[in-house]
Amino acid sequence: MTTISTEKITRADVRMYRMGTGDCFIIKLFAGEKEKYKIMIDCGTWQGAEEKLVPYITDLKEHVGNTIDLLIVTHEHKDHVYVFEACEELLTKDFNIKSIWMAWTESDDDEKAQQWLRDFGDKKKALKKAANQMNKALQDPEFVNQFKDEKSGNELKAAREYFAGALNSFADLQFALKDGDYVGMLKGMEVVKKQIAEGNKIEIRYCHPGEIISNLPGAEGVRFYVLGPPLAWEQVKKESGGAGESYAHNNELAHSDAFAMAVLAEDKQDFKNLLPFDMKYVSKDSEDQRQYYEDKANQWRNIDHDWLNSAGALALRVNSMTNNLSLALAIEFEDSGRVMLFPGDAEYGSWESWHNISWPQQDFTKDLLNRTVFYKVAHHLSHNGTAQRLGLEMMGHPDLAAMATLDYEIISSGWKSTMPNRALIDELLKRTKGRLMVMHEDGIPYDKTSKKTLTNVILNARANMTEKERVDFDKNFISEPLYLEYKVNGLSKKEVKARKKQK
């Protein structure tokens, strides 16, 4: 009989705080019933005033006894770091964080990472400038008034206002701003790096794909496998794959690079006078034709600002690149080989890169996915947050459960058109047998045609569980107003019995 140490980690309690669309997880690791190690992964939400977030953080601190053994910050998006800013005092005062991990791309000392971030920073600046110009146009009385008397003009105005709102949402998600311009890292990330890390003399560990981290004091019995972010910039920029690789195909966005370069020309000339084409194409029409073009009654037909619509492609590209910079981790229970997968918001390019890592054994990433029993769904159930063939279709463990951080009450309105992805939901429910836990599924539509809601679909899936599956799920799942919690069994029942015999 295999000897199993009674001091090794045997299970994990995973708590997802329900602050709104965004990630904040506490993982408690246990050896039997003895709590041994506490991990915090991210602390963000789409939006929220401090007074609304305080109850969640108060509960969090009480849950961990004001101590975190390991803080993991996956990437610099507001919905992953905002609460460090909003509840800065609560999360820095009388709160003991012992160690911090981030992705290698966050290191100030990594020359390759800094080059990437300079290039990335230029794209962020270009996107913010385009958003600012769209906002200015919509605040200009002459521009707005041109739409008022024409039905089609009103439709164009509504479309432009919606588009401007979407651009501003993207800016709010990932830009630290000063006087409306992008200036650097988000305040939440700065709190972690400066106040928490530097202020407490904690040396941040910057993790690279292929690293295997084990024997952490207190966490004996688990291994951490670093999957992402990728080492190749081309994979960081890759948002989706083809048919069978991603749950939906998106248009190629490469032209957004040229758009970014064009917008940054604002630093060299008057932005208001920028045209969507070279000056050599400017018409030398007669005065009569020019007067017709400038007639206010016809201005709703003009295309002076239409070139800004290309900012949409740039916005999606910038967002995907940040997501693909996520620190993605597989956490393995050593004795059983069971795995918990926490990929941040990794998109297809990152998932694909995991299969190219030089592990000690062949097809090891596939093996990790095969053994996954808990999956933190990447990017809020979006179409491109979970790889298909190289991801979810490899998760075949009969005990698979999944948690997703989606809440329609606190989310950008622009995201509602892509979250959740119906095909992804169907596959998750099939593979988890209904063990899919969504932050706030109430009010989230599954199928607008049949008017099904996500709640209906999840409950229907759970109704098809066997009696044993239902009993086990009810025993392991806790739903409270502030959080959802799931107990992840690190050992099979046979292994649990073997441990009890040793005591």
Side-chain angles (χ1 to χ4, degrees):
M1 182 178 70
T2 302
T3 301
I4 302 174
S5 169
T6 56
E7 288 302 310
K8 284 189 177 182
I9 300 301
T10 60
R11 69 176 177 88
D13 289 356
V14 181
R15 179 173 290 193
M16 170 176 65
Y17 279 94
R18 307 172 80 177
M19 293 183 283
T21 302
D23 285 20
C24 181
F25 287 86
I26 297 294
I27 307 169
K28 284 187 174 182
L29 301 179
F30 293 82
E33 297 303 313
K34 184 178 180 181
E35 181 183 304
K36 299 273 289 181
Y37 199 79
K38 291 166 287 191
I39 304 170
M40 180 176 180
I41 301 182
D42 293 331
C43 197
T45 180
W46 174 252
Q47 62 184 13
E50 180 182 5
E51 58 268 22
K52 290 186 178 181
L53 297 172
V54 163
Y56 298 93
I57 302 307
T58 301
D59 182 272
L60 185 157
K61 291 180 71 173
E62 182 180 348
H63 180 54
V64 300
N66 279 16
T67 299
I68 289 291
D69 295 293
L70 171 61
L71 168 63
I72 297 169
V73 180
T74 61
H75 64 296
E76 190 187 354
H77 261 165
K78 181 180 178 181
D79 57 327
H80 290 255
V81 300
Y82 169 65
V83 185
F84 289 111
E85 171 187 351
C87 298
E88 179 179 349
E89 186 173 355
L90 264 177
L91 287 168
T92 55
K93 185 178 180 182
D94 301 324
F95 194 52
N96 180 24
I97 295 175
K98 297 181 180 180
S99 58
I100 302 173
W101 292 359
M102 292 185 181
W104 69 272
T105 48
E106 295 295 337
S107 174
D108 294 335
D109 299 324
D110 191 297
E111 184 177 341
K112 183 177 182 180
Q114 289 307 302
Q115 177 58 47
W116 285 14
L117 293 176
R118 281 192 292 272
D119 178 59
F120 198 19
D122 284 344
K123 290 179 172 59
K124 286 186 175 183
K125 289 178 185 177
L127 179 55
K128 184 54 189 171
K129 289 178 185 295
N132 285 347
Q133 181 65 2
M134 183 70 81
N135 292 336
K136 288 178 184 177
L138 290 171
Q139 293 167 7
D140 183 348
E142 288 189 7
F143 179 74
V144 173
N145 288 338
Q146 66 183 300
F147 300 108
K148 65 181 182 181
D149 295 324
E150 294 277 353
K151 180 178 182 296
S152 53
N154 287 331
E155 291 172 354
L156 282 172
K157 178 175 178 286
R160 284 171 174 170
E161 288 175 337
Y162 181 86
F163 180 69
L167 281 187
N168 288 320
S169 292
F170 274 111
D172 196 31
L173 176 67
Q174 54 202 324
F175 300 147
L177 304 173
K178 183 177 181 181
D179 299 327
D181 289 325
Y182 167 76
V183 293
M185 75 174 70
L186 289 170
K187 178 64 184 299
M189 183 68 94
E190 184 179 338
V191 168
V192 175
K193 283 191 170 185
K194 304 294 183 183
Q195 282 86 319
I196 296 176
E198 289 185 12
N200 295 286
K201 297 182 179 179
I202 302 170
E203 186 174 350
I204 298 174
R205 178 170 190 155
Y206 296 103
C207 304
H208 291 71
E211 283 189 75
I212 303 173
I213 305 168
S214 60
N215 296 318
L216 295 178
E220 294 84 1
V222 296
R223 295 189 188 95
F224 298 81
Y225 296 91
V226 183
L227 302 171
L231 295 174
W233 190 228
E234 287 306 310
Q235 289 174 314
V236 173
K237 293 190 291 184
K238 195 169 186 178
E239 178 208 4
S240 61
E245 303 294 349
S246 299
Y247 283 93
H249 180 71
N250 285 57
N251 293 328
E252 177 59 46
L253 302 176
H255 65 279
S256 61
D257 292 339
F259 174 81
M261 295 175 63
V263 173
L264 289 176
E266 185 257 342
D267 294 332
K268 301 176 183 179
Q269 57 183 297
D270 182 1
F271 195 79
K272 188 176 181 180
N273 292 327
L274 280 176
L275 295 172
F277 38 73
D278 193 271
M279 284 296 296
K280 67 183 178 181
Y281 297 111
V282 175
S283 174
K284 304 295 191 296
D285 286 343
S286 68
E287 191 64 26
D288 288 344
Q289 290 173 308
R290 182 169 294 278
Q291 286 178 359
Y292 180 80
Y293 181 81
E294 294 175 353
D295 187 338
K296 291 185 178 180
N298 297 317
Q299 282 187 0
W300 68 272
R301 296 186 175 94
N302 293 354
I303 61 169
D304 294 27
H305 294 87
D306 285 10
W307 66 284
L308 286 169
N309 292 334
S310 293
L314 178 62
L316 292 172
R317 191 169 180 81
V318 167
N319 190 61
S320 293
M321 288 162 69
T322 306
N323 287 335
N324 273 336
L325 293 177
S326 292
L327 175 56
L329 296 168
I331 305 173
E332 178 193 47
F333 296 92
E334 289 181 0
D335 282 338
S336 67
R338 295 182 176 213
V339 171
M340 298 185 294
L341 180 63
F342 287 86
D345 278 350
E347 296 188 7
Y348 181 77
S350 181
W351 286 78
E352 183 182 48
S353 74
W354 305 347
H355 294 269
N356 298 324
I357 295 172
S358 297
W359 298 112
Q361 65 187 71
Q362 193 174 7
D363 293 329
F364 187 63
T365 297
K366 178 181 178 181
D367 184 47
L368 287 173
L369 293 172
N370 288 164
R371 294 187 276 117
T372 296
V373 296
F374 180 88
Y375 170 42
K376 196 294 291 189
V377 183
H379 203 223
H380 326 295
L381 293 167
S382 72
H383 64 287
N384 54 3
T386 301
Q388 187 173 346
R389 183 179 64 85
L390 296 177
L392 188 54
E393 290 182 359
M394 291 182 175
M395 298 185 204
H397 199 286
D399 295 335
L400 179 65
M403 273 187 174
T405 55
L406 180 60
D407 178 355
Y408 262 25
E409 301 239 338
I410 303 176
I411 189 176
S412 166
S413 60
W415 285 2
K416 292 182 180 180
S417 62
T418 60
M419 299 174 183
N421 178 264
R422 192 171 67 184
L424 174 60
I425 289 288
D426 290 343
E427 191 65 23
L428 280 167
L429 288 174
K430 172 185 170 184
R431 291 180 177 274
T432 64
K433 302 175 185 176
R435 292 184 293 255
L436 172 62
M437 296 152 279
V438 180
M439 180 178 285
H440 276 295
E441 73 265 23
D442 291 343
I444 298 178
Y446 164 79
D447 184 345
K448 293 180 181 179
T449 304
S450 64
K451 297 184 179 178
K452 289 182 181 177
T453 67
L454 191 52
T455 301
N456 299 144
V457 175
I458 291 175
L459 290 178
N460 287 340
R462 290 179 188 168
N464 292 324
M465 288 179 172
T466 65
E467 184 178 352
K468 179 181 178 300
E469 289 169 343
R470 191 177 301 111
V471 169
D472 286 344
F473 180 73
D474 290 342
K475 181 178 67 177
N476 292 326
F477 178 50
I478 300 172
S479 177
E480 294 289 343
L482 297 180
Y483 59 83
L484 300 180
E485 186 170 296
Y486 188 73
K487 298 182 185 303
V488 180
N489 296 316
L491 300 175
S492 66
K493 289 188 176 181
K494 182 178 180 180
E495 290 165 328
V496 171
K497 288 180 181 177
R499 286 208 171 200
K500 287 182 178 177
K501 286 182 179 179
Q502 288 181 358
K503 290 186 177 180

